[in-house]
Amino acid sequence: MSLLGAMRAGVAGLQAQSTKFGAIADNISNSSTVGYKRADVQFTSMVTQPPTQTSYTSGGVLPAIRQQIDKPGALLPTTSNTDLAIAGGGFFVVADNADAPDRSFALTRAGSFLPDDEGNLVNSAGYYLQGFALNADGTTVVPTPSTDTFNDLQTVNVKDLTFTGSATTVIDFAANLPAQETGTGTPPGAIFSTSVTYYDPLGNPRRLTLEWEADAATANQWTLNIIDYDGTNIGTVDVAFNAAGPNAGSPQAYTTALPIANGVVTLTTVGGQTIDLELGAPNTSTGIVQFAGSYEPSRMNADGAQLGVLQRVDISKDGIVYAVFNNGERTPIYQIPLAVVPNPNGLISEDGNVFLLGQDSGSMFLWEAGRGPSGEIVAGAVEASNVDIAEELTELIQTQRAYSSNAKIFQAGDEMMTVLTQLKR
């Protein structure tokens, strides 16, 4: 049986080397495929019968195929904001269909995502990126979404995004008023003005003017006239400043017919809109101050915005997808989680550089990018194949020689069988 066993061992060697040759061919052909993970073939001996002191039965060899899924590839920069790579552990969750009822989920490191005609982010293999939908304040639409299932994920869509206009509610103002302009004894006092834009409830930009008039008769006294866009004076505030002591230069007291609390004046515009004008609390230097020098506004911040049209999409390292509008607003719309499994090499490979959960991979958990075992998301980059061409060519030569050697075993066995058959004659 040793002769036939040797021939069978040669055949097993041919089959094993053929398997390795196929893996090498795949590796080389996918050396430029984004997110591809190298296949490796190791060999284990096959024993059909334990050897004794006087006999040996050839068993042959068995191929053991492993895919190096946990080995990262190099990160390559691109010109697209929606191309994504992972610096560290984890996988993107993708689906084969953009519609919720018909989706089958998979994991991938191939992050070459671009919007399709419906605005869904899809990679070059036709798989759709999944994420948690967010409210405008950054909270998830689904409270406490599931992190051990795919149930609460949605296809990331960036089509027809607009930012509705929001009314201004707060104007924060800070400036230095020149002390030497007060108490000059020569009326009228100097006037300094600053305009700030606010937005009405329809998102229309309006201009509000803050006009500061120095009191020529009394030192350290100012009058603020607040003038709306149509020229209407909607309020007057008299301000007295501290001239000495630890609070010198800060406002001492406000006098006005308008509602005021702790340096916050409540205005009503000609359109009936209510806006809080923050001037700074008395005896503090957080808002308006008065020192010798020039009139210098240092802060003019107003919330609110007009209607905006999507300009681009930005994705942060923690996986937050932001819609950036032409009015300057930046709104979170999705959070892209990263799936982590205990044994990435136990995942099941499928077409398109995607992987399915398997018995050997362990259970999946969705992490926020950059937290726990997950890596950070790098926008404007993709992960290259983890194949080393030089290594593959070396393996190719070794496999070719091993295949030829196994063929020699079978050929020699055949010649020996011929000798046996000729003994009968």
Side-chain angles (χ1 to χ4, degrees), residues 176-181 192 290-296:
N176 177 63
L177 304 175
Q180 73 275 9
E181 297 292 343
F192 304 92
Q290 179 200 248
F291 293 99
S294 60
Y295 174 69
E296 295 181 2

Side-chain angles (χ1 to χ4, degrees), residues 93-105:
V93 180
V94 292
D96 62 348
N97 195 304
D99 297 327
D102 304 317
R103 291 179 298 169
S104 295
F105 296 96

Side-chain angles (χ1 to χ4, degrees), residues 269-290:
T269 67
V270 293
Q273 179 179 351
T274 300
I275 299 176
D276 287 336
L277 174 61
E278 298 179 350
L279 298 175
N283 299 315
T284 68
S285 299
T286 58
I288 56 172
V289 292
Q290 179 200 248

Side-chain angles (χ1 to χ4, degrees), residues 66-357:
R66 299 174 181 174
Q67 198 161 12
Q68 297 177 340
I69 301 174
D70 61 345
K71 180 182 177 182
L75 302 189
L76 304 177
T78 70
T79 58
S80 173
N81 285 350
T82 56
D83 280 342
L84 304 177
I86 303 173
F91 298 84
F92 299 113
V93 180
V94 292
D96 62 348
N97 195 304
D99 297 327
D102 304 317
R103 291 179 298 169
S104 295
F105 296 96
L107 310 181
T108 189
R109 300 269 295 195
S112 54
F113 297 104
L114 286 174
D116 64 6
D117 57 345
E118 296 295 327
N120 301 307
L121 291 188
V122 59
N123 68 11
S124 55
Y127 285 91
Y128 295 88
L129 179 63
Q130 304 295 297
F132 296 124
L134 299 180
N135 296 308
D137 61 357
T139 59
T140 54
V141 172
V142 177
T144 316
S146 174
T147 53
D148 57 359
T149 69
F150 302 122
N151 296 342
D152 295 327
L153 293 170
Q154 298 182 20
T155 298
V156 177
N157 186 285
V158 295
K159 185 180 181 180
D160 297 332
L161 293 173
T162 57
F163 181 84
T164 57
S166 59
T168 296
T169 59
V170 176
I171 296 175
D172 182 18
F173 181 80
N176 177 63
L177 304 175
Q180 73 275 9
E181 297 292 343
T182 64
T184 61
T186 307
I191 296 177
F192 304 92
S193 65
T194 299
S195 296
V196 59
T197 300
Y198 71 92
Y199 296 93
D200 68 14
L202 297 179
N204 295 311
R206 303 297 188 189
R207 182 70 65 180
L208 192 73
T209 301
L210 305 181
E211 189 177 88
W212 297 93
E213 182 178 354
D215 191 325
T218 307
N220 308 310
Q221 298 276 350
W222 291 82
T223 297
L224 169 63
N225 291 304
I226 305 167
I227 302 170
D228 210 344
Y229 71 96
D230 65 347
T232 302
N233 189 326
I234 59 175
T236 298
V237 181
D238 292 323
V239 188
F241 286 89
N242 292 301
N247 296 322
S250 64
Q252 181 185 63
Y254 296 97
T255 304
T256 180
L258 297 172
I260 187 171
N262 205 30
V264 180
V265 183
T266 301
L267 309 175
T268 301
T269 67
V270 293
Q273 179 179 351
T274 300
I275 299 176
D276 287 336
L277 174 61
E278 298 179 350
L279 298 175
N283 299 315
T284 68
S285 299
T286 58
I288 56 172
V289 292
Q290 179 200 248
F291 293 99
S294 60
Y295 174 69
E296 295 181 2
S298 58
R299 190 171 64 246
M300 294 176 290
N301 298 327
D303 62 359
Q306 63 185 130
L307 180 69
V309 178
L310 182 66
Q311 192 173 43
R312 68 179 189 276
V313 172
D314 286 344
I315 301 174
S316 65
K317 64 181 181 180
D318 56 357
I320 305 299
V321 182
Y322 291 94
V324 181
F325 300 91
N326 61 354
N327 61 1
E329 291 297 317
R330 192 168 181 261
T331 303
I333 53 176
Y334 289 95
Q335 180 184 20
I336 301 172
L338 295 181
V340 175
V341 295
N343 178 27
N345 292 333
L347 293 169
I348 301 170
S349 299
E350 293 286 330
D351 290 343
N353 296 326
V354 298
F355 308 98
L356 304 180
L357 298 175

Side-chain angles (χ1 to χ4, degrees), residues 360-378:
D360 295 334
S361 66
S363 57
M364 178 276 306
F365 192 85
L366 298 176
W367 286 86
E368 179 183 337
R371 296 278 184 93
S374 67
E376 294 181 345
I377 291 178
V378 181

